[in-house]
Amino acid sequence: MSMLQVESLPREIAAKLLDIGAVALRPEEPFTWTSGLKSPIYCDNRLTMSYPDIRDLVAEGFAAVIRESYPDADVIAGTATAGIPHAAWVAQKLNLPMAYIRDKAKGHGKQNQIEGRIAAGQKVVVIEDLISTGGSSIKAAQAVAEAGGEVLAVVAIFSYQFASAEKAFAEAGVPLRTLSGYSALIDVAAERGIVQSGQLASLQAWREDPASYGK
Ligand SMILES: O=P(O)(O)OC[C@H]1O[C@H](OP(=O)(O)OP(=O)(O)O)[C@H](O)[C@@H]1O
Ligand SMILES: O=C(O)c1cc(=O)[nH]c(=O)[nH]1
């Protein structure tokens, strides 16, 4: 692949998500998110698994961020389920151990929440596919901390960049880095004529107050 330009990743990844139909707009029948919020948009980053060039672009992006900002990471830990494959690809690129974090401990077997090894004191980068409220990945980071790991950051493919999510990460003391996000997505979608200028204001207003949408 050609030289990776981290600065151009937000638009590049947003364009790829649009290319593969990962972004669905459905204002007439809002999606229900994992947090319970209703949304006119759903971004299915799981589809990137099916495209080797796109999943490799994502893995290169993650690897570049980790090499640059978290070079002393000991473990790459994916959030279950959608973060797991991306964690595996970047751990392989960086030749680092990998683990994954379930949303809750198993009710049988070893009753683990974390699978794989995270030893006390190890520095961990958590890989997530997408940040809406941030609730899932903050919970995952807290599980790592309870296991004795030191969370260096959550690094995600995409964030809706809600102010409330940024506040939640700040309050939890968990640094967040993302490869792409809603602003880049809306810019590229507008340039392509996928969203019309008349829809931009309502998409912007939705992002400023997502909790009120559909109420
Ligand atoms: O920032 P949040 O508000 O927590 O939302 C984002 C989370 O929601 C999705 O997971 P989902 O619960 O759909 O499960 P999956 O990863 O197993 O598909 C996504 O993969 C993130 O983990
Ligand atoms: O918040 C969620 O559940 C969510 C939103 C979204 O756009 N994509 C996704 O996979 N999950």
Side-chain angles (χ1 to χ4, degrees), residues 6-198:
V6 174
E7 321 71 63
S8 56
L9 272 181
R11 287 177 57 90
E12 203 178 342
I13 289 177
K16 301 281 187 202
L17 293 174
L18 290 168
D19 288 344
I20 64 174
V23 184
L25 276 179
R26 219 174 63 186
E28 70 291 347
E29 192 196 339
F31 295 96
T32 302
W33 282 355
T34 193
S35 55
L37 290 182
K38 299 285 181 194
S39 164
I41 300 189
Y42 198 80
C43 183
D44 188 359
N45 290 343
R46 301 162 195 84
L47 287 169
T48 61
M49 285 190 289
S50 305
Y51 299 86
D53 57 333
I54 301 177
R55 72 184 194 217
D56 195 55
L57 176 69
V58 167
E60 285 291 342
F62 280 144
V65 170
I66 295 165
R67 283 193 193 103
E68 170 73 23
S69 301
Y70 311 107
D72 50 354
D74 298 308
V75 181
I76 305 298
T79 55
T81 59
I84 295 174
H86 300 288
W89 290 312
V90 70
Q92 189 68 19
K93 268 188 198 295
L94 298 172
N95 193 28
L96 283 173
M98 182 210 154
Y100 68 84
I101 311 149
R102 299 178 185 277
D103 65 342
K104 56 180 181 305
K106 274 177 73 154
H108 60 283
K110 291 179 168 177
Q111 313 215 326
N112 287 344
Q113 182 171 9
I114 296 176
E115 302 290 1
R117 287 191 200 285
I118 297 181
Q122 280 193 309
K123 296 180 169 49
V124 180
V125 171
V126 174
I127 297 290
E128 172 65 289
D129 76 312
L130 180 132
I131 308 292
S132 304
T133 65
S136 309
S137 40
I138 291 171
K139 209 167 94 181
Q142 286 166 343
V144 169
E146 277 160 27
E150 182 191 334
V151 176
L152 298 178
V154 169
V155 190
I157 301 173
F158 181 92
S159 170
Y160 283 98
Q161 302 166 315
F162 296 142
S164 53
E166 277 157 28
K167 187 160 170 261
F169 277 94
E171 282 174 1
V174 177
L176 171 66
R177 298 284 299 275
T178 52
L179 302 183
S180 185
Y182 188 72
S183 306
L185 180 71
I186 293 303
D187 284 353
V188 176
E191 283 164 23
R192 289 185 179 185
I194 296 168
V195 292
Q196 315 300 324
S197 54

